[in-house]
């Protein structure tokens, strides 16, 4: 006899858990770096190109696997993206690039290419693409959690705020106040982009990754 198995509906706490899983996934890199530092016997600032490549590759594998699992909990939507949405997002991306260029004292990709060389530059930007997956998932699940908690949808970028309070604040502890503030502001911009694109997972990922890289 054929039996129908109903998929369990996610609860409010499930979405909070998914948010924390995505954030915890980003935090795994810190543990990995500690392990590698002990293994190599030198600080990360003195790693060779090969050691950096190993670190970024291992991190991408972990992040990719976690993102794959969490994406199964994201409902498949195909929202309409109108010209006004594109115009708003284009403006936010422009603001992000200008702000990043101001903080970096120049165009970020050019500076990183000059500092890292071709191999490290390419691998690091692949690493950025994987990090963007978890960044977006924090926004998505954080937004859903808040809306389920309040019992209604909202146009406030709460997912971006939650990203700022997690991914952003951890940068204050690990990289200083200046970098932390910059990351928090970027997190809020990411949240605006997600809502401006009508919560499209794929297009939001492309836009956020572009903002993160540039």
């Amino acid at each position: 006899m054929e039996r129908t198995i109903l998929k369990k509906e996610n609860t409010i706490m499930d979405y909070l858990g998914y948010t924390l899983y995505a954030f915890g996934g980003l935090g795994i890199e810190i543990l990995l770096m500690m392990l590698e530092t002990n293994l190599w016997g030198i600080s990360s600032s003195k790693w060779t190109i090969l050691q950096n490549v190993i670190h970024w590759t291992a991190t991408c594998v972990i992040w990719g696997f976690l993102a794959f699992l969490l994406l199964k909990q994201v409902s498949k939507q195909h929202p309409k993206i109108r010209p006004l949405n594109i115009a708003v997002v284009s403006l936010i991306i422009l603001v992000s690039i200008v702000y990043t260029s101001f903080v970096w004292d120049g165009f970020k990709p050019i500076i990183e290419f000059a500092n890292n060389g071709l191999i490290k530059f390419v691998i690091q930007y692949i690493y950025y693409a994987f990090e963007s997956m978890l960044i977006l998932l924090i926004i998505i699940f954080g937004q859903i959690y808040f809306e389920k908690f309040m019992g209604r949808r909202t146009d406030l970028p709460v997912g971006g705020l939650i990203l700022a309070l997690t991914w952003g604040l951890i940068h204050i502890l690990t990289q200083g106040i200046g970098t932390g503030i910059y990351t928090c502001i970027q997190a809020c911009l990411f949240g605006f982009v997600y809502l401006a694109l009508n919560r499209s997972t794929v297009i939001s990922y492309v836009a956020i990754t572009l903002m993160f890289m540039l």
Side-chain angles (χ1 to χ4, degrees):
M1 180 182 295
E2 184 176 338
R3 184 175 60 178
T4 301
I5 300 177
L6 298 177
K7 182 179 179 181
K8 171 182 170 292
E9 183 178 351
N10 289 321
T11 65
I12 295 176
M13 295 310 296
D14 285 333
Y15 286 112
L16 176 60
Y18 299 147
T19 304
L20 296 177
Y21 289 151
F23 174 56
L26 293 175
I28 289 176
E29 184 189 13
I30 298 176
L31 299 178
L32 182 61
M33 186 173 291
M34 293 171 60
L35 177 63
E36 291 168 315
T37 298
N38 289 329
L39 178 63
W40 307 132
I42 54 176
S43 64
S44 59
S45 62
K46 297 179 181 178
W47 286 353
T48 64
I49 293 177
L50 178 60
Q51 288 167 337
N52 275 287
V53 168
I54 291 173
H55 169 75
W56 286 327
T57 301
T59 302
C60 287
V61 170
I62 294 171
W63 285 350
F65 178 70
L66 180 58
F68 172 76
L69 295 178
L70 290 176
L71 281 169
K72 292 183 178 181
Q73 305 303 324
V74 177
S75 61
K76 296 177 176 60
Q77 301 182 55
H78 303 283
K80 292 182 178 179
I81 308 298
R82 298 181 172 85
L84 180 59
N85 299 98
I86 299 299
V88 170
V89 170
S90 297
L91 179 60
I92 296 174
I93 291 175
L94 178 60
V95 169
S96 173
I97 292 173
V98 171
Y99 176 51
T100 299
S101 297
F102 173 77
V103 172
W104 280 69
D105 291 324
F107 191 47
K108 179 181 175 181
I110 293 178
I111 294 174
E112 293 206 303
F113 181 80
N115 291 338
N116 294 332
L118 180 60
I119 296 177
K120 285 180 64 178
F121 176 81
V122 171
I123 300 300
Q124 185 173 26
Y125 271 65
I126 293 173
Y127 159 93
Y128 286 159
F130 277 86
E131 186 171 2
S132 296
M133 292 181 188
L134 294 184
I135 286 172
L136 176 60
L137 286 168
I138 292 174
I139 293 173
I140 292 174
F141 291 129
Q143 189 78 31
I144 295 174
Y145 165 72
F146 179 81
E147 291 175 348
K148 284 190 173 293
F149 180 79
M150 296 299 294
R152 59 183 176 84
R153 282 171 70 98
T154 177
D155 291 327
L156 295 175
V158 182
L161 179 59
I162 291 175
L163 179 64
L165 294 174
T166 51
W167 179 69
L169 288 182
I170 200 66
H171 278 76
I172 294 179
L173 299 177
T174 59
Q175 300 185 32
I177 294 178
T179 300
I181 291 175
Y182 163 75
T183 308
C184 287
I185 292 175
Q186 285 292 90
C188 292
L189 292 177
F190 295 160
F192 277 114
V193 163
Y194 174 65
L195 293 186
L197 288 171
N198 287 336
R199 308 170 190 238
S200 169
T201 302
V202 174
I203 302 177
S204 294
Y205 170 71
V206 173
I208 288 172
T209 301
L210 184 65
M211 293 168 67
F212 192 32
M213 290 181 173
L214 302 182

